[in-house]
Amino acid sequence: MSFALNAAPFFLGLVYGLGGVFAGECSSLSLWLVVQMLVSAVHFAMSIYLFNVMQKPFNADDPTDRTLNARVQQMLCYDPWFAVYIILAIFQIVWLIMGSIWESGDVGEKKECDAYSPVVIVSLVLAWVYVCFGVLFFTCSWCCSATQDAAQEATNAARGDLQRAQNSVLGKIVFGVRTAPRTT
């Protein structure tokens, strides 16, 4: 999803944004496209990083890496690269709002910027879709993994209880019932 939704904003920023900046055309929207291109490049890099982190086998001996939920929690709270990415995500939302205002408003260059309008709109739409679906997918995945972890723990506890009960009954059958001697 990251590559599919960020490829167009990246290449539009590369072609139209850098072209507009170097030609001195529509400075506000050209600058917006260039910055959006850089943000898209960071999304590419972060998706590769997250893919590599999530593909590692879990370490049952490490409480911060036993389950998917533990790994995500570790990443959200302690991973410096993910912290930078959270800051970038906040910046991107602000940047998308600014781009929407610049594209729809009168920035003093409206006549000059008419050729950039469809390009900026495509970039805005794809970036907003990426942000919305990215948050939705991440939240759903994390909630499902937390539910799965809780269900697995409950299953393991039930199996342990069942095993203890079976061992207890089996122990009584095999070894007989031992009770403390009566003293009268």
Side-chain angles (χ1 to χ4, degrees):
M1 181 179 96
S2 181
F3 288 105
L5 292 175
N6 282 299
F10 178 81
F11 288 111
L12 290 173
L14 188 65
V15 174
Y16 289 95
L18 288 177
V21 167
F22 289 127
E25 299 172 350
C26 191
S27 60
S28 61
L29 292 182
S30 296
L31 174 65
W32 187 88
L33 285 168
V34 169
V35 172
Q36 188 59 35
M37 174 191 69
L38 297 173
V39 170
S40 295
V42 173
H43 285 309
F44 288 150
M46 195 62 183
S47 66
I48 293 168
Y49 172 73
L50 289 174
F51 178 79
N52 287 330
V53 167
M54 292 301 179
Q55 292 304 310
K56 293 179 187 173
F58 292 114
N59 181 357
D61 298 330
D62 184 2
T64 63
D65 196 37
R66 281 186 191 156
T67 63
L68 180 62
N69 193 35
R71 185 176 287 177
V72 169
Q73 186 175 4
Q74 172 71 18
M75 193 175 348
L76 281 172
C77 297
Y78 301 107
D79 189 326
W81 294 111
F82 202 80
V84 170
Y85 189 64
I86 291 171
I87 293 168
L88 176 86
I90 294 167
F91 169 78
Q92 181 173 20
I93 291 171
V94 171
W95 193 245
L96 289 172
I97 292 169
M98 289 176 59
S100 300
I101 292 169
W102 287 353
E103 200 291 314
S104 65
D106 186 16
V107 290
E109 317 171 312
K110 194 62 178 169
K111 189 81 163 163
E112 182 184 330
C113 294
D114 284 345
Y116 286 84
S117 186
V119 173
V120 172
I121 289 172
V122 167
S123 189
L124 277 166
V125 167
L126 291 174
W128 276 115
V129 168
Y130 177 76
V131 167
C132 292
F133 278 113
V135 168
L136 179 69
F137 289 162
F138 179 77
T139 305
C140 288
S141 297
W142 195 18
C143 288
C144 289
S145 74
T147 305
Q148 183 181 9
D149 290 347
Q152 185 64 42
E153 288 175 16
T155 301
N156 290 343
R159 283 184 184 150
D161 291 344
L162 180 62
Q163 187 174 12
R164 282 189 292 279
Q166 287 173 341
N167 288 342
S168 175
V169 171
L170 184 61
K172 289 178 181 177
I173 292 171
V174 172
F175 299 107
V177 178
R178 295 186 181 209
T179 57
R182 284 189 171 169
T183 55
T184 53

